[in-house]
Amino acid sequence: MGPARIARAVHGRGAVRPDPAFEIAFAQDLAHRCAPSEIMALFRRFNQGEDHIDFLMRRTCVRALARRCGSGLRIEPGVGLRHVETFEIGDGVVIGEQVVIHGRFDGRCEIGSKVWIGAQAFLDARDLVIGDNVGWAPGAKVLGSKHSGLPIDVPIIATDLLIPRTVVEDDADIGMNAILLPGVTIGRGAIVGAGAVVTKDVPAFSKVAGCPAQVIGYRDGREVLAEASQ
């Protein structure tokens, strides 16, 4: 096998230009004139196309509904969104094809600036905070809650939900098909390997892999055993 080709990163280095004033005014007008259900119906009407109008309409609908929406949001076709009214989105965010972001009516979904979410990812965003410059690979998932399972004479699906906050700090990278369980914190600049299942907090700038995920190294060269013995 030959040496890997090195290509310059595109999304992470690109500048974000402010959205034009007419888009912001259009979103404000939609929010004033239309019910949230009507705006989501409009979103779905433009949710499959790939021309300029389709992208503009998807972005405008989300801006009309979200608590906050920065400039440069790009939503690819086939995306599923629930409870957009709980979303706070930074600048330059990309949401890939067929991504599902499932908020909750009383929840919080915060996505920082320059976040890139790959195709077919699933974000259970009942209480989810994603920092700036986070890479989220295709198919990666986060679960936002779990049932208490008690009492045992009640079907599990009917027991109370536990909804801890799940946090992915700035500059972290989540690998393809990785899974984050409810309540974990992925430290700043950490790397979660492809297919990993994260069941506990991940230290900053570490690299984790496996099921359950374990620290296999650090980006700054620290020894794993030396760190564990401290």
Side-chain angles (χ1 to χ4, degrees):
M1 182 171 63
R5 185 170 67 96
I6 297 176
R8 185 179 176 85
V10 176
H11 174 71
R13 294 174 181 266
V16 180
R17 293 186 298 181
D19 288 338
F22 82 86
E23 279 194 35
I24 297 171
F26 184 18
Q28 291 172 339
D29 189 62
L30 276 179
H32 177 69
R33 294 177 182 273
C34 301
S37 60
E38 294 175 306
I39 298 173
M40 282 309 298
L42 189 62
F43 177 89
R44 289 191 288 272
R45 190 187 305 174
F46 290 92
N47 196 23
Q48 298 301 322
E50 297 188 73
D51 64 25
H52 174 70
I53 298 300
D54 296 312
F55 282 102
L56 183 152
M57 290 303 298
R58 292 195 286 267
R59 180 167 59 243
T60 300
C61 289
V62 168
R63 173 173 278 127
L65 291 170
R67 289 177 181 162
R68 180 172 63 88
C69 181
S71 292
L73 173 63
R74 181 178 176 87
I75 304 173
E76 298 291 344
V79 167
L81 303 175
R82 297 289 185 274
H83 291 294
V84 181
E85 73 275 12
T86 66
F87 290 12
E88 299 178 36
I89 302 173
D91 295 321
V93 171
V94 173
I95 301 175
E97 288 181 281
Q98 300 176 13
V99 166
V100 173
I101 305 178
H102 208 305
R104 179 182 158 95
F105 67 95
D106 59 353
R108 175 191 184 192
C109 173
E110 183 175 328
I111 300 174
S113 294
K114 300 298 289 287
V115 172
W116 187 90
I117 302 172
Q120 299 183 334
F122 176 78
L123 280 66
D124 184 346
R126 299 161 201 253
D127 195 354
L128 175 65
V129 177
I130 298 175
D132 297 334
N133 304 302
V134 168
W136 193 284
K141 300 173 177 63
V142 56
L143 302 180
S145 67
K146 56 185 177 183
H147 287 278
S148 69
L150 297 172
I152 62 172
D153 59 343
V154 173
I156 293 174
I157 197 171
T159 61
D160 290 341
L161 282 173
L162 306 176
I163 306 176
R165 176 162 298 171
T166 302
V167 178
V168 180
E169 296 182 346
D170 295 351
D171 309 335
D173 192 79
I174 312 300
M176 180 179 285
N177 287 329
I179 296 175
L180 312 185
L181 295 187
V184 301
T185 293
I186 308 300
R188 182 183 177 190
I191 297 174
V192 175
V197 178
V198 179
T199 61
K200 60 184 180 182
D201 292 349
V202 170
F205 300 106
S206 67
K207 298 182 285 187
V208 301
C211 177
Q214 303 291 329
V215 176
I216 59 172
Y218 286 88
R219 294 176 60 196
D220 59 8
R222 274 177 287 160
E223 294 290 338
V224 175
L225 292 178
E227 178 71 15
S229 65
Q230 293 179 359

